[in-house]
Amino acid sequence: MRTTMKKILWAVCATAVLGMFLPAAVPAADEIVFGVIEPLSGPFKDVGDRYVNGAKFAIEQINAEGGLLGKKVVAAVEDDALKPAIAARKAKKLILKKKTKFIMTGTGSHITLSLAKVAKKYKVINLTYGTEAAKITGSAFTPYTFRCCLNTDQHSAAIVEYMVRKYPQYKKYYIICQDYAFGREAAEGFKKKFKEIAPKGARIVGEIFHPIATKDFAPYVSAIMASGAEVVLSGNWGTDLRLLIKHGASLGWKVRLGNYFLNDPLVLQEVGKDSIGHVAADAYMITIDTPENKAFLAKWATKYKDAPLAYRYPTLSTGRAYYAVRFMAEAIRKAGTTDVQKVIKAWEGMEFQAAWGKVRMRACDHQMITPGVASEVLPTSEYFDFPYVGKPMIIPAEAITTPPAETGNPRCK
Amino acid sequence: MEAYAVQAVHGVVYGMLLFLVTSGLTLVFGMMGVLNMAHAAFYMVGAYFTYSLVQWTGSFWLCLLLAPIGVGIIGAFVERALLRKVHTFGHAHELMLTFGIFYILAEVVKWIWGTYPLTVVAPDVLNGSVPFLSATYPTYRLFILLVSVIVLFILAFIMQKTRIGIIVRAAVFDNEMVDILGVNVQLVFLGVFSIGSALAGLAGVVAAPFLSTYPGMGLEILVDAFVVIVIGGFGSVWGALLAALMIGELQSFGIMLIPELALVFQFLLMAIVLVWRPQGLFGESA
Amino acid sequence: MTHTRTKNVLTVLIVLAALVVLPYLLTEVQLNMAIEIAFFSLFAVSYNLLLGYGGVLSFGHAAYFGTGAYFMVFALKYVAGMPILPAVLVSGVAAGLTAAIVGFFCVRLGGSYFALLTLAFNQLIYAIALKWRSLTGGDDGIGLDKHDMYLPFVGNLDTMSTFTVYYLTVIIVLISLWLIRFFLKTPYGNTVACVKDNEERAAFIGYNVFRSKLVLFTMAGFFAGIAGALFAFFEEFVSLDSINMAMSTEVLFMAFIGGTGSFLGPVLGAAVFIYFTEWVSDITEHWEFFLGVLFVLLILYANRGIIGLIPEKIKNFWSPRSASAGER
């Protein structure tokens, strides 16, 4: 038994080594390759999958409309397992083997920062449609990196704007965030905007940071309730968001939560009625009431009509990825070439019509300047059979934009 | 004052949940000398079984019985087909094997159930609240407390009062001697490992509606469970109980007093205990 | 005897020559992977000092790899004009010191206790790296900015070039491997293996068991730190992934899958591991499942790892000597 097993194992290993020498596909000359790097294995697979869907859908649409510069756009998707070292390796492979000049990710600020190093070395465009750390376009800026989503300052500001405009009667705010870089930045963003526009007599009554993947939120919820808070601001995502809401509701908290990622069908499907009245904000939301968005939704829904309910419509992440890739494609079209330096020049300061309004690529730090959308969860939805966000309030870009001088980017004065 | 009372109860509830999660681990280590890294995977499988069983049968109560049995059967298979084979190779191999099983099970769960979180809804009777001081307290948290206390008493009874407990402890000490006395040691080990796995499954059932069911849940609980075992002393039920309660209370009050250190509470506690008593609070000296 | 010796010298020369010409034969993608295999090899060999030679299972070796990686960044960032080679050494020393402190608490305990304690200390060090954002950048990670490297007689080297990084990495890894091997052959190094085989007897003969184990643990930490520094230098970016528990389990996989019973087994393991993350992950998203299955099958049926699977004839030609670990 032992020897047989050993022989089998040996044969498997030998075959596996031979597999290494299979030739890799080389792209055709009339193709433009977009390299999409996302976690496709491990616990964040569902996050990565959705970004990939969004990016791929944009590429399909571009091709359906006649391609880009007369060429066909192809997506080369790689799994980074949410590890910067693997992401960097896959990016190098895409650049050297598939000759891509455009790499992108939406999951993990550390991934974007690691890809920024690769992009700088090989002189390719590094696009992000979902990583929000301020330093990507701030202190760690490189000219090759472009961000087509909100950063933490913009995202926090959109939530605070909504709360203060819609509910000026609330006086007690509480901040709870995850104790890591993203959570700290989100909290800074909340405080900055709150200081600017807080209604008279309103104040922040507490601020607490909990470890990521906290299991029991009851101690935190009790502390929030004891403070008498009316509004809770949070940048939480994943289980930290779901459990905060569930444990909060089970202890009977009477607060309005403002959160970054609440308008995610996967979250709302699980949290259900406990989420009614809470507020979400982002750049994209499927409930945006414009003809452009309606057209986008219709196309998406045709393609994914048989998907599980939470995947049947675009989400905050697929929407962002879709419009980011479209925006980049327009920049390439404007440059008239895939020459990276020329695309950078063309993209800087360029305007683009997204489903939610006009956006602009700020020249100095490559941060997309965009209006925000914010909305609260209603008991019923025309899309899903669980509570979902309603039609959003559009928050003008000026209200949430970080002034250039405050970005920490040496190019911005 | 009332705020402190509420936090104390929160701490007890979470501490007892932690104890429930570690109870099977303690049992297996105390009786077989095997540190079962796959325990966290069994816990996760228990939670996922609950999800599927609720989908099929519609009854959460049934899961309390069926899911642990299902996980127990997996445990029996692991002991009989895998663990027994490497027993002679020593501790490092047993540890690596159980870790390998953890790794594989975590992948299998993702393969079968996908990566996005699944919802398990507790029965209505457990979903409400009961009056508590000037406010209310969620019934489900009290249910967690109840299940944990029952498990605690059963476990203490088995380990200290019954013949099985005596046999197993003797078997760890001198395998051959017990064999000669006419006890089937292999069978006893099989039984203990299955029960330990079933307890992990039970913890998974109880945790499913409370902590939600997602692929990372096993790994996240693994480290916490190990810290409990290290502080309490390997294989000691009372040690695990005390350690779990200490961690529960520390997290409840710690976040009121020194929230900055919430991330490292348990590790600090562990470090302090280890400097003072390397074998843990209730452990026999190594 | 002399025959074996000639063969060994010949083998070494062939391998060295192959390593020198390799960059001219490989594509840049393959060369990048060769670099990764090189520093992960050192990491895995350092881990095998514990698992194969010390006979103890650590679940926290990434703590030293990560410490080395972070200190490489700190050294180049905060010390103006810090040359590359001393920076690598500083990283190794920092990791070694960390290992010495942790080892002081861990090595007294054996078996499962040791495994759990190393895991817990790994978590603690991870938590420090996560919390100390001003220094480490927290979960955003921290970039490493390279400058040119000056070598006497050679002049300035462009460290952005993959060629330079390759030669630098391979040379440092080879020197480190040689040092580890040299240490294991010294009389003191021998006591370490003796301690593993029978701790009580070793103590009875008069060896200081605690000190031997601590030295081994510190050394494993030091070389893991060197590997970490090379990792940082190659990636130009360090994040918590280099210091978390996943990295600790990866190195366990590398060492065990390659083979803990021989000095070079972990090198093979590192290559297999990179192979999995690179090619198998392209074929199936469930590559971790197959990695786990391979790991468990090896534990059950071939506990000397893949290197133990290579038919005896081939193996005898290459490396007649192997450590006693894993031989049963």
Side-chain angles (χ1 to χ4, degrees):
Chain A
M1 175 63 184
R2 240 186 139 76
T3 18
T4 332
M5 203 59 215
K6 270 192 185 177
K7 276 182 188 156
I8 294 172
L9 278 171
W10 167 236
V12 169
C13 295
T15 326
V17 171
L18 288 179
M20 283 167 57
F21 296 99
L22 292 174
V26 181
D30 56 349
E31 285 179 349
I32 298 174
V33 182
F34 285 1
V36 184
I37 300 167
E38 293 289 347
L40 303 175
S41 59
F44 288 89
K45 177 177 148 39
D46 59 310
V47 181
D49 274 345
R50 291 194 280 171
Y51 281 124
V52 169
N53 287 348
K56 274 190 169 168
F57 192 72
I59 290 169
E60 277 166 29
Q61 296 298 315
I62 293 166
N63 287 332
E65 291 159 16
L68 188 56
L69 309 179
K71 293 179 179 177
K72 189 172 168 243
V73 182
V74 287
V77 181
E78 291 283 347
D79 172 21
D80 64 15
L82 205 60
K83 290 181 180 152
I86 295 187
R89 187 204 303 158
K90 300 274 167 121
K92 286 174 195 164
K93 192 170 85 174
L94 287 173
I95 295 163
L96 295 165
K97 263 194 187 158
K98 301 258 173 117
K99 308 287 172 219
T100 180
K101 289 175 180 170
F102 309 92
I103 54 173
M104 57 199 79
T105 192
T107 319
S109 289
H110 58 317
I111 303 287
T112 293
L113 288 164
S114 156
L115 290 180
K117 286 279 184 184
V118 178
K120 194 177 167 196
K121 178 170 178 180
Y122 292 98
K123 301 194 167 39
V124 299
I125 301 270
N126 173 33
L127 167 69
T128 170
Y129 37 68
T131 62
E132 303 195 359
K135 82 180 192 193
I136 292 172
T137 49
S139 57
F141 173 82
T142 84
Y144 297 94
T145 302
F146 288 82
R147 171 152 53 198
C148 288
C149 61
L150 303 178
N151 64 22
T152 45
D153 276 342
Q154 289 167 301
H155 212 155
S156 290
I159 294 168
V160 176
E161 277 280 344
Y162 182 91
M163 285 291 183
V164 171
R165 281 189 198 192
K166 184 126 191 236
Y167 301 105
Q169 71 271 30
Y170 290 151
K171 300 292 181 230
K172 289 180 173 174
Y173 282 65
Y174 202 102
I175 295 173
I176 179 166
C177 284
Q178 292 150 316
D179 189 6
Y180 77 128
F182 171 72
R184 296 266 168 186
E185 270 189 15
E188 282 309 311
F190 287 136
K191 281 188 281 187
K192 222 189 277 178
K193 192 71 197 172
F194 186 80
K195 203 183 272 175
E196 251 173 61
I197 61 165
K200 202 161 185 249
R203 62 197 172 92
I204 291 172
V205 292
E207 179 187 29
I208 201 159
F209 295 91
H210 65 81
I212 207 155
T214 287
K215 271 145 238 114
D216 188 5
F217 276 91
Y220 296 97
V221 171
S222 289
I224 291 171
M225 288 166 73
S227 75
E230 295 155 303
V231 174
V232 173
L233 302 172
S234 172
N236 282 13
W237 49 265
T239 46
D240 283 333
L241 171 59
R242 301 196 304 272
L243 292 184
L244 174 66
I245 298 174
K246 273 167 78 171
H247 293 177
S250 80
L251 284 160
W253 71 353
K254 302 272 182 294
V255 301
R256 201 176 286 278
L257 175 75
N259 172 265
Y260 272 46
F261 304 108
L262 194 58
N263 55 328
D264 178 345
L266 287 180
V267 174
L268 291 172
Q269 190 169 28
E270 186 185 349
V271 183
K273 62 179 184 358
D274 292 344
S275 59
I276 294 168
H278 295 327
V279 174
D282 205 302
Y284 179 75
M285 218 171 250
I286 67 168
T287 47
I288 293 168
D289 200 13
T290 63
E292 289 98 331
N293 188 45
K294 287 269 154 61
F296 170 52
L297 282 187
K299 275 188 218 150
W300 183 280
T302 332
K303 179 171 181 191
Y304 287 97
K305 61 178 184 298
D306 299 322
L309 186 55
Y311 288 82
R312 208 165 296 164
Y313 299 98
T315 61
L316 66 166
S317 38
T318 45
R320 267 195 249 127
Y322 175 84
Y323 282 101
V325 171
R326 296 302 302 246
F327 193 4
M328 184 170 79
E330 285 315 305
I332 295 169
R333 211 187 298 276
K334 184 181 163 199
T337 165
T338 55
D339 181 281
V340 169
Q341 302 302 338
K342 288 189 178 132
V343 173
I344 294 175
K345 271 269 146 334
W347 206 350
E348 286 180 349
M350 183 179 164
E351 287 192 344
F352 176 73
Q353 184 67 41
W356 57 92
K358 197 160 256 178
V359 301
R360 180 171 56 86
M361 182 56 68
R362 185 154 66 188
C364 78
D365 64 347
H366 296 180
Q367 166 66 52
M368 183 172 81
I369 304 301
T370 169
V373 290
S375 179
E376 59 195 68
V377 180
L378 304 176
T380 55
S381 156
E382 58 175 301
Y383 303 103
F384 302 107
D385 61 3
F386 44 83
Y388 198 70
V389 290
K391 289 196 173 62
M393 170 196 280
I394 306 269
I395 297 163
E398 308 80 65
I400 60 170
T401 300
T402 321
E406 286 171 26
T407 58
N409 185 326
R411 295 211 321 185
C412 298
K413 289 280 142 52
Chain B
M1 203 57 232
E2 188 181 323
Y4 285 94
V6 171
Q7 292 293 13
V9 178
H10 289 333
V12 170
V13 170
Y14 184 65
M16 287 309 283
L17 177 66
L18 215 48
F19 168 76
L20 185 62
V21 173
T22 50
S23 60
L25 198 59
T26 312
L27 180 76
V28 170
F29 193 87
M31 295 205 162
M32 297 170 69
V34 176
L35 180 65
N36 179 19
M37 304 269 293
H39 190 82
F42 291 154
Y43 157 82
M44 175 158 73
V45 171
Y48 274 95
F49 275 178
T50 311
Y51 171 79
S52 291
L53 283 170
V54 169
Q55 295 279 307
W56 291 334
T57 66
S59 165
F60 177 78
W61 301 107
L62 212 55
C63 301
L64 280 173
L65 186 68
L66 291 182
I69 291 176
V71 178
I73 292 171
I74 297 177
F77 169 79
V78 165
E79 204 281 337
R80 180 68 189 82
L82 307 172
L83 195 58
R84 196 171 290 181
K85 284 209 169 80
V86 300
H87 184 64
T88 47
F89 297 165
H91 281 303
H93 271 71
E94 286 174 338
L95 253 172
M96 280 195 290
L97 180 76
T98 55
F99 179 73
I101 293 165
F102 168 78
Y103 201 82
I104 292 173
L105 277 180
E107 277 306 303
V108 170
V109 162
K110 271 186 258 172
W111 212 333
I112 298 177
W113 283 281
T115 50
Y116 59 85
L118 302 174
T119 315
V120 176
V121 182
D124 287 342
V125 65
L126 296 179
N127 264 339
S129 313
V130 293
F132 177 72
L133 298 177
S134 63
T136 60
Y137 205 74
T139 320
Y140 199 83
R141 296 180 70 92
L142 300 176
F143 172 69
I144 293 174
L145 202 59
L146 180 72
V147 175
S148 310
V149 170
I150 293 172
V151 167
L152 168 67
F153 280 112
I154 295 176
L155 210 58
F157 181 74
I158 293 178
M159 280 184 90
Q160 297 190 329
K161 298 283 185 224
T162 67
R163 223 171 92 83
I164 311 173
I166 297 165
I167 292 167
V168 178
R169 272 181 292 159
V172 171
F173 187 70
D174 192 341
N175 211 322
E176 280 170 29
M177 183 61 92
V178 178
D179 229 4
I180 292 165
L181 289 174
V183 176
N184 187 338
V185 175
Q186 303 267 316
L187 194 67
V188 171
F189 274 16
L190 184 74
V192 166
F193 198 84
S194 313
I195 294 173
S197 316
L199 282 174
L202 179 64
V205 178
V206 172
F210 181 64
L211 298 181
S212 105
T213 309
Y214 57 101
M217 64 186 293
L219 193 64
E220 281 167 16
I221 210 85
L222 184 75
V223 177
D224 286 13
F226 282 179
V227 170
V228 168
I229 298 257
V230 171
I231 294 175
F234 289 69
S236 159
V237 175
W238 300 109
L241 176 68
L242 185 63
L245 287 175
M246 279 165 78
I247 289 179
E249 291 301 337
L250 192 60
Q251 300 207 327
S252 276
F253 287 106
I255 65 137
M256 295 177 83
L257 307 171
I258 31 169
E260 273 299 305
L261 295 178
L263 191 64
V264 289
F265 280 152
Q266 52 209 25
F267 300 116
L268 286 179
L269 184 64
M270 185 192 73
I272 293 165
V273 169
L274 283 177
V275 171
W276 171 51
R277 265 181 85 86
Q279 70 273 36
L281 294 176
F282 281 56
E284 289 146 26
S285 63
Chain C
M1 191 61 201
T2 39
H3 179 62
T4 333
R5 190 166 205 135
T6 329
K7 209 161 68 180
N8 279 346
V9 171
L10 209 64
T11 313
V12 168
L13 285 178
I14 292 171
V15 169
L16 283 181
L19 288 175
V20 171
V21 299
L22 207 55
Y24 298 93
L25 302 175
L26 299 180
T27 64
E28 191 168 351
V29 174
Q30 289 164 331
L31 191 61
N32 279 325
M33 296 190 49
I35 299 170
E36 286 191 66
I37 291 173
F39 58 69
F40 276 130
S41 292
L42 177 59
F43 186 31
V45 169
S46 81
Y47 181 78
N48 198 38
L49 282 174
L50 301 175
L51 184 59
Y53 292 87
V56 288
L57 182 63
S58 162
F59 273 106
H61 209 49
Y64 319 110
F65 183 80
T67 305
Y70 276 110
F71 268 84
M72 184 71 183
V73 176
F74 301 156
L76 294 182
K77 188 172 178 180
Y78 295 117
V79 185
M82 182 77 167
I84 308 277
L85 292 177
V88 173
L89 198 64
V90 164
S91 312
V93 171
L97 281 176
T98 315
I101 296 166
V102 173
F104 180 80
F105 292 103
C106 294
V107 299
R108 277 180 292 186
L109 303 164
S112 313
Y113 297 75
F114 179 85
L116 278 203
L117 281 184
T118 48
L119 186 149
F121 274 107
N122 195 159
Q123 286 298 112
L124 184 62
I125 291 170
Y126 167 84
I128 293 171
L130 176 64
K131 287 285 283 186
W132 203 338
R133 282 201 303 136
S134 55
L135 193 63
T136 64
D139 52 291
D140 279 348
I142 186 167
L144 178 145
D145 291 316
K146 284 180 181 176
H147 52 71
D148 279 358
M149 180 176 160
Y150 176 77
L151 273 187
F153 310 116
V154 182
N156 266 343
L157 292 174
D158 171 20
T159 49
M160 287 305 278
S161 136
T162 312
F163 267 52
T164 316
V165 177
Y166 170 81
Y167 284 119
L168 187 77
T169 307
V170 166
I171 289 169
I172 294 176
V173 168
L174 283 179
I175 293 173
S176 303
L177 291 182
W178 181 78
L179 282 173
I180 294 174
R181 210 174 164 133
F182 179 79
F183 167 79
L184 289 171
K185 278 198 212 154
T186 60
Y188 192 76
N190 263 323
T191 66
V192 168
C194 178
V195 167
K196 175 205 161 192
D197 290 339
N198 192 333
E199 213 167 286
E200 278 170 32
R201 192 169 58 195
F204 187 71
I205 298 171
Y207 292 138
N208 184 336
V209 172
F210 175 74
R211 203 178 58 190
S212 298
K213 283 171 137 187
L214 189 58
V215 166
L216 191 71
F217 196 83
T218 307
M219 223 175 81
F222 173 80
F223 286 107
I226 299 277
L230 295 173
F231 164 85
F233 192 69
F234 171 72
E235 297 290 349
E236 300 172 41
F237 184 79
V238 178
S239 73
L240 294 169
D241 297 82
S242 64
I243 205 165
N244 64 10
M245 201 188 134
M247 186 62 102
S248 290
T249 58
E250 281 170 13
V251 75
L252 161 64
F253 281 173
M254 288 179 208
F256 190 83
I257 288 175
T260 52
S262 62
F263 184 75
L264 291 177
V267 174
L268 182 64
V272 170
F273 188 82
I274 300 287
Y275 173 81
F276 259 92
T277 58
E278 181 62 27
W279 281 282
V280 184
S281 72
D282 273 359
I283 301 164
T284 166
E285 64 187 61
H286 301 291
W287 60 275
E288 288 172 288
F289 171 78
F290 295 101
L291 187 67
V293 169
L294 176 65
F295 181 65
V296 166
L297 284 178
L298 288 171
I299 294 174
L300 289 174
Y301 299 106
N303 55 40
R304 281 191 294 154
I306 289 181
I307 215 162
L309 293 173
I310 298 173
E312 289 297 319
K313 280 176 209 156
I314 306 178
K315 205 173 59 184
N316 282 344
F317 179 81
W318 287 108
S319 174
R321 262 169 289 160
S322 63
S324 59
E327 309 259 10
R328 303 196 161 80

